[in-house]
Amino acid sequence: MPPSVPSLPRRVAHVLRTSLFAQVLCALVLGIVVGKLWPDFATDLQPLGDGFTRLIKTIISPLVFCVVVVGIAKAGDLKAFGRIGLKALIWFEVASTLALVIGLLAANVVQPGSGMHVDPSTLDASAVDAKTGGGSLPSTTEFIVNAIPTSFIGAFAENSLLQVLILACLVGAALLHLGHTKVPKVLPAVEQAQEIIFAVVGFIMRLAPVAVFGAMAVLIGQYGLGVIETYAKLIVLCYAAAAFFIALLAVALRMVTGLSLWKFLRYIRAEMLLALGTASTESVMPRVMQKLRKAGARDDAVGLVLPTGYSFNLDGASLYLSIGTLFIAQAVGVDLSLGQQITVILVLMLTSKGMAGIPGSAFLALSATASSLGAIPAGAVALLLGVDRIMDSMRVVTNLLGNCVAVFAVSRWEGALDLEKAKKVLDGKAVPAAEDAAAQTRTAPDAETAAPAAVPAQPAKEPAGEAG
């Protein structure tokens, strides 16, 4: 007898039970429905998304520390790690500057704020202060100084990724210096801690659909869908500019590595949907790090490039800031000269680097840019309050893809990418366990002289709930 085919309800139930992507997608749709039908109830669901984000944030710092320490120790070459960092910074600066230029060109061509004739005196400037909490962006000097840890424990307690990275580099360098004979138990212990953290990620990810449901319901309940009509021209322009920038990323990735960005997007579709639903790239950092490692990028490259990109490579934010600045100027009737627009790029190149993790950072950067120009009233920044949350999806997707492409490109540049494995993974082909365990050794320079680990690296297990 031919095997029985499961009924449609059974197949649907199986997909919902095993696929994180399907779970998050259903939660996203349900959140929109609840937010539209019961907006008052929806606004009370904020703790669902906030709680999930808090749980994820608790493990980001220790995970980054473990991945970087293990990566340096196994690569056995601290100079290679320094080259990865330098090449990453070069890539970040080129990419973010390109995003700023694309944003300015798009805003000049489309003129999203022209014809609005807004009187700045009618805007509530205090609303911007409420959004930013009265804070300010750090200066370049403050940003550099704040990246230096004052306490080993404090760096983890404050969740300062740059400080954690510095500590991880120091510990990894110390392990290389001492060698495995003097501290034979340290590296295996860090590797085991890393596996425990990835297991915790798997547990927390079970709550992802709940978080997406709550975050999306709050968004629709608070802002509704009417804001899209009011700012339609600006929203369409920002998303179109982001799509063009992502297309350029796809071309760059293909030229540098031969990999397809669209296949990679399918590979991380569940994480991308989760990031969209929670409006946070931090919520998916652990899972994305895990998937990049599985796709052939070496531990030290993933551990350094991706977290650093969260502070230095905010491509989506750069697009939004440049378009937003010109939108504000056009809305209040200010015609910015070429010199002033160049000033916008220079100011945003600096202010965008200190935005990560600061509440209302986009408005702080816009206010700083308006003040530096002297031609745009500071209160005019309030024009973007109503549409800022709608732009989160564009920023999240562009930031995340920009940083993932940076990992692949820099890894390829440094010889820290297993291209054969990457192509297999992105094509959806299963990678044998033995090959997965040996991938880091194949891509590591001077692997024979690297400090051997007492416990062999095990392939990270896919967190439960993901099969599609």
Side-chain angles (χ1 to χ4, degrees), residues 426-466:
L426 297 190
D427 285 336
K429 299 178 181 177
V431 178
E435 181 181 340
D436 194 32
Q440 298 298 322
T441 302
R442 289 202 308 270
T443 56
D446 302 324
E448 294 182 357
T449 61
V455 177
Q458 299 295 324
K461 294 182 180 179
E462 184 76 7
E466 171 66 87

Side-chain angles (χ1 to χ4, degrees), residues 259-406:
L259 300 176
S260 168
L261 182 61
W262 316 121
K263 289 182 180 179
F264 176 74
L265 188 56
R266 184 179 183 279
Y267 174 58
I268 63 164
R269 62 189 183 279
E271 290 74 24
M272 186 62 71
L273 198 60
L274 174 58
L276 283 171
T278 58
S280 169
T281 53
E282 284 187 336
S283 65
V284 297
M285 180 192 282
R287 286 265 300 195
V288 171
M289 289 181 72
Q290 190 177 16
K291 286 202 164 183
L292 286 168
R293 292 166 68 234
K294 287 188 174 190
R298 207 169 65 203
D299 279 7
D300 52 346
V302 174
L304 180 61
V305 178
L306 190 66
T308 307
Y310 272 56
S311 294
F312 287 92
N313 192 41
L314 304 175
D315 298 328
S318 297
L319 274 170
Y320 172 63
L321 290 174
S322 55
I323 294 175
T325 300
L326 261 67
F327 168 79
I328 294 169
Q330 293 161 4
V332 298
V334 174
D335 185 20
L336 296 180
S337 65
L338 177 60
Q340 288 174 315
Q341 294 191 32
I342 293 175
T343 302
V344 168
I345 293 179
L346 295 176
V347 172
L348 291 177
M349 283 174 62
L350 296 175
T351 56
S352 62
K353 299 298 183 291
M355 288 175 54
I358 299 177
S361 56
F363 290 95
L364 291 172
L366 286 169
S367 298
T369 306
S371 299
S372 66
L373 292 173
I376 305 175
V381 176
L383 276 171
L384 292 174
L385 281 171
V387 75
D388 183 68
R389 181 63 179 83
I390 304 296
M391 297 299 186
D392 278 340
S393 297
M394 178 273 293
R395 291 192 293 244
V396 163
V397 170
T398 311
N399 288 345
L400 185 57
L401 286 179
N403 285 321
C404 289
V405 169

Side-chain angles (χ1 to χ4, degrees), residues 10 54 132 138 168 171 193 202-203 222 225 256 292 336-337 345 361 464:
R10 284 180 177 272
R54 282 173 175 264
T132 60
V171 173
F203 298 149
Q222 283 185 344
L225 301 176
V256 175
L292 286 168
L336 296 180
S337 65
I345 293 179
S361 56

Side-chain angles (χ1 to χ4, degrees), residues 96-121:
S96 56
T97 302
L98 177 62
L100 288 171
V101 172
I102 290 174
L104 282 182
L105 291 175
N108 276 294
V109 171
V110 179
Q111 300 278 320
S114 61
M116 294 184 69
H117 307 297
V118 175
D119 183 0
S121 63

